[in-house]
Amino acid sequence: MIDRPASDQPPISPLPTARPLPSLPPMETGIRGRCPRCGQGHLFQGYLTLAPRCAVCGLDFSFADPADGPAFFVMSIVSFPVVAFAGWLEVSFEPPLWVHVLTSLPLLLIGCLGLLRPLKGWIVCTQYVHKAAEARLAEPQAAPPADACISGCAPVK
């Protein structure tokens, strides 16, 4: 091993964000419920409540606004197989209502609750990676002077 003089060694920075962070896939970090920037801190404070910031790198999660997206996708994903199962069960066996309550309702609840957190994490991490922000109206541009040519030509005299 070659010893370098102290002046040739890179400086050590106390800030955790001073080092370049790798680009982490939003699906992997979101499904695991990890910070989209460092991949180590927790994204959630509770089951579905986002933490205010990452405890490891300090990323502020106030940019995240998944709104109803996760719930919509979960309902769309889970409802089709469960409704198909309930329809098949009804057509094939004509069971009483309590059989549907004991079979279809738990499938629906387990499917929805099992997918809601990973999908919310994925949407939040995707918002971070793509720098998604709330839509804003553009500032109005100043009108050109009355004697200016729109195509950039010299004014006519």
Side-chain angles (χ1 to χ4, degrees):
M1 186 165 138
I2 300 173
D3 290 330
R4 290 193 267 168
S7 62
D8 289 345
Q9 294 179 353
I12 298 173
S13 173
L15 300 174
T17 58
R19 62 183 165 83
L21 294 169
S23 176
L24 301 170
M27 181 175 267
E28 179 183 332
T29 54
I31 288 175
R32 290 177 38 226
R34 299 297 182 183
C35 171
R37 182 162 64 184
C38 69
Q40 296 173 355
H42 293 283
L43 188 60
F44 296 101
Q45 190 171 15
Y47 183 68
L48 289 175
T49 306
L50 289 174
R53 65 186 36 82
C54 176
V56 176
C57 70
L59 176 64
D60 184 16
F61 295 141
S62 64
F63 69 88
D65 183 25
D68 293 335
F72 171 77
F73 289 122
V74 166
M75 288 186 307
S76 298
I77 292 168
V78 174
S79 66
F80 288 110
V82 172
V83 168
F85 169 75
W88 169 81
L89 185 65
E90 182 63 34
V91 169
S92 298
F93 300 106
E94 297 180 17
L97 183 60
W98 63 269
V99 173
H100 284 290
V101 171
L102 289 179
T103 57
S104 302
L105 187 62
L107 286 175
L108 193 62
L109 288 174
I110 290 169
C112 286
L113 292 176
L115 285 178
L116 198 54
R117 182 177 168 142
L119 277 175
K120 184 173 183 175
W122 177 36
I123 289 175
V124 168
C125 290
T126 302
Q127 286 178 338
Y128 173 77
V129 167
H130 295 289
K131 297 177 178 78
E134 184 177 332
R136 292 187 176 85
L137 296 174
E139 292 293 323
Q141 297 179 354
D147 62 343
C149 179
I150 294 176
S151 63
C153 60
V156 179
K157 293 184 183 183

